[in-house]
Amino acid sequence: MVHVREMEAADIEAVSAIRVRGWRAAYAGIVPRTHLDAMTVEGDAGLRRESFSRPGRTSRDLVAVGDRGPVGWICFGPWRGEMPGPDRAGEVYAVYVSPDLIGRGIGRALLGEAHARMKGQGFQASALWVLGDNAGARRFYERIGYQADGAAQDDVYDGITLRELRYRRAL
């Protein structure tokens, strides 16, 4: 059983470990191995500390905590670009669960709490970007009500261009 709470500075190392392990598990065979191998918990933690302590930041971070401490993390906030339509949209910037605990409802719990908080902030919709080749993540998002809305963008990892798809759902 996990509970979801606000992330604290003391959680940064654990969140970075979840994120690095999550990238390596979720993106193996999609993102170039050289990029995944170059990721370190220490490097990620440095970026997390910088982002977490930035004055005036509009993003929010939540962690799912179990018996062994943080086992999942989500970061969300206002949409960072143009969004067609009249709805005010929030964005899920990232969500990761310890790879050995995927399928136990932790991601769903994190998204549920993030959705409730976005709705409380006046957002009518939530959107996110997902790698088009990440079939598992796409199925997960579709099961909880997200749908591809036709928008796409490209990201380059170690010289390899990968397509991201925008997914959206009403809150």
Side-chain angles (χ1 to χ4, degrees):
M1 189 61 145
V2 300
H3 72 278
V4 177
R5 65 163 169 79
E6 290 281 335
M7 182 176 148
E8 301 168 355
D11 299 321
I12 289 175
E13 291 290 329
V15 164
S16 290
I18 291 164
R19 189 172 175 278
V20 169
R21 286 192 335 262
W23 265 75
R24 289 180 177 157
Y27 304 134
I30 300 171
V31 171
R33 187 87 217 149
T34 52
H35 184 85
L36 298 175
D37 288 346
M39 295 179 76
T40 66
V41 171
E42 297 78 18
D44 190 81
L47 295 172
R48 289 297 122 240
R49 273 192 281 289
E50 181 182 309
S51 172
F52 194 74
S53 64
R54 186 175 302 128
R57 75 183 174 102
T58 57
S59 64
R60 306 293 348 127
D61 294 274
L62 304 174
V63 290
V65 181
D67 295 346
R68 64 186 199 201
V71 294
W73 164 73
I74 191 167
C75 183
F76 62 96
W79 182 256
R80 298 175 290 183
E82 294 290 321
M83 178 67 73
D87 291 344
R88 184 168 173 249
E91 181 177 356
V92 174
Y93 306 137
V95 60
Y96 290 94
V97 171
S98 293
D100 60 316
L101 297 175
I102 288 175
R104 297 190 184 179
I106 297 167
R108 186 178 293 271
L110 285 164
L111 278 162
E113 184 63 25
H115 291 158
R117 291 181 185 216
M118 281 191 262
K119 192 170 185 172
Q121 294 172 3
F123 295 112
Q124 292 96 20
S126 173
L128 53 82
W129 293 100
V130 60
L131 285 173
D133 289 341
N134 191 344
R138 291 177 62 191
R139 279 190 305 274
F140 169 71
Y141 294 129
E142 289 165 3
R143 280 194 307 267
I144 57 174
Y146 282 88
Q147 294 193 349
D149 69 3
Q153 66 183 14
D154 291 333
D155 278 335
V156 178
Y157 298 91
D158 292 351
I160 304 297
T161 301
L162 300 174
R163 172 73 31 132
E164 287 187 310
L165 308 175
R166 186 173 64 199
Y167 271 52
R168 188 174 173 164
R169 68 163 274 177
L171 294 172

